[in-house]
Amino acid sequence: MQASLPFEEQPQPELLFVRHPRARRYVIRVTDDNTVRVTIPRWGSKRDARAFVEQEREWILKQQQRPRKIVGIVGIVSHGPAGPAAHDPPDAALRERAKRELPARLLELAAIYGLQVRKISVRNQKWRWGSCSPRGHICLNWRLIRMPEAVRDYVLIHELMHLKRMDHSPRFWALVAQACPDYLELRRSLRGYRFA
């Protein structure tokens, strides 16, 4: 088996820079095909974005090496990793990831659809994947981090659309369909996941 290169000799990751007018900070997102997507805020520069990538290079390489059968989207970071201690149980590590990644992705989607989220919580919910209050407080189940990116995004989009309509009327589902055309298939996939 070929030995891996020392960290200093690892090749630079393939980068995709995306400038987003509503982004409030630099965000690095690693997807399940190992694409490294770097969101640049309106006031930001590609030079600073590259510096941020270099700062988080070790974290990016770790995300790219994660087994795809465990997670679909690999990771997202906006201010550096802050993982748990090595002796923590696996669920604790996933919960820490969820607290970093789910709010960042929710805000990214909210910006895309021109929506404002007032508060985000990541909780250990037993009976629901997410919820949205009339005041714009969205709660997300930490177990979403275990799901493929598309299924997880469907849940996030579902809750975001409740910012427009606080019901499950045909008009609400029309909003979901507009934002997520494959929502019916993704909704069926969601039923295969358990809360345990």
Side-chain angles (χ1 to χ4, degrees), residues 17 25-26 32 34 47 49 51 61 83 98 100 111 119 123 126 137 139 164 171:
F17 292 97
R25 56 190 178 277
Y26 296 95
D32 56 1
N34 276 345
R47 178 180 178 182
L61 290 172
R100 292 196 311 271
K119 184 179 178 181
R123 296 180 177 174
K126 298 295 186 182
H137 177 192
C139 292
K164 295 185 175 183
R171 290 185 179 181

Side-chain angles (χ1 to χ4, degrees), residues 64-126:
Q64 290 178 325
Q65 292 165 5
R66 287 182 182 271
R68 294 303 179 270
K69 65 180 181 180
I70 296 177
V71 286
I73 180 174
V74 181
I76 182 168
V77 64
S78 58
H79 49 76
H87 62 272
D88 284 349
D91 275 1
L94 286 175
R95 290 187 195 198
E96 288 300 318
R97 281 190 56 221
K99 289 177 182 178
R100 292 196 311 271
E101 298 173 17
L102 295 178
R105 179 58 176 159
L106 186 71
L107 291 174
E108 188 178 17
L109 290 169
I112 290 171
Y113 300 112
L115 298 169
Q116 184 175 2
V117 182
R118 294 188 181 275
K119 184 179 178 181
I120 306 171
S121 298
V122 178
R123 296 180 177 174
N124 184 26
Q125 296 166 305
K126 298 295 186 182

Side-chain angles (χ1 to χ4, degrees), residues 8-171:
E8 295 78 8
E9 299 177 24
Q10 293 280 357
Q12 289 285 351
E14 295 280 338
L15 303 177
L16 173 63
F17 292 97
V18 180
R19 187 174 295 277
H20 203 292
R22 292 191 179 93
R24 297 182 180 179
R25 56 190 178 277
Y26 296 95
V27 177
I28 299 172
R29 182 170 171 234
V30 182
T31 61
D32 56 1
D33 63 354
N34 276 345
T35 300
V36 180
R37 185 170 181 265
V38 186
T39 300
I40 304 175
R42 181 177 56 185
W43 46 264
S45 68
K46 187 175 284 189
R47 178 180 178 182
D48 287 344
R50 287 187 181 278
F52 181 42
V53 168
E54 186 60 31
Q55 173 188 324
E56 300 296 339
R57 188 174 169 208
E58 184 173 4
W59 178 86
I60 291 170
L61 290 172
K62 286 180 180 178
Q63 305 311 308
Q64 290 178 325
Q65 292 165 5
R66 287 182 182 271
R68 294 303 179 270
K69 65 180 181 180
I70 296 177
V71 286
I73 180 174
V74 181
I76 182 168
V77 64
S78 58
H79 49 76
H87 62 272
D88 284 349
D91 275 1
L94 286 175
R95 290 187 195 198
E96 288 300 318
R97 281 190 56 221
K99 289 177 182 178
R100 292 196 311 271
E101 298 173 17
L102 295 178
R105 179 58 176 159
L106 186 71
L107 291 174
E108 188 178 17
L109 290 169
I112 290 171
Y113 300 112
L115 298 169
Q116 184 175 2
V117 182
R118 294 188 181 275
K119 184 179 178 181
I120 306 171
S121 298
V122 178
R123 296 180 177 174
N124 184 26
Q125 296 166 305
K126 298 295 186 182
W127 306 108
R128 57 176 63 181
W129 296 114
S131 63
C132 179
S133 78
R135 295 186 177 182
H137 177 192
I138 292 180
C139 292
L140 300 171
N141 192 315
W142 71 267
R143 295 171 184 82
L144 290 168
I145 204 68
R146 294 172 169 168
M147 297 181 185
E149 177 182 6
V151 178
R152 182 162 66 247
D153 276 0
Y154 157 69
V155 175
L156 271 55
I157 290 169
H158 180 115
E159 300 309 331
L160 286 170
M161 293 304 111
H162 278 310
L163 296 173
K164 295 185 175 183
R165 287 197 68 89
M166 290 299 300
D167 57 32
H168 288 101
S169 65
R171 290 185 179 181

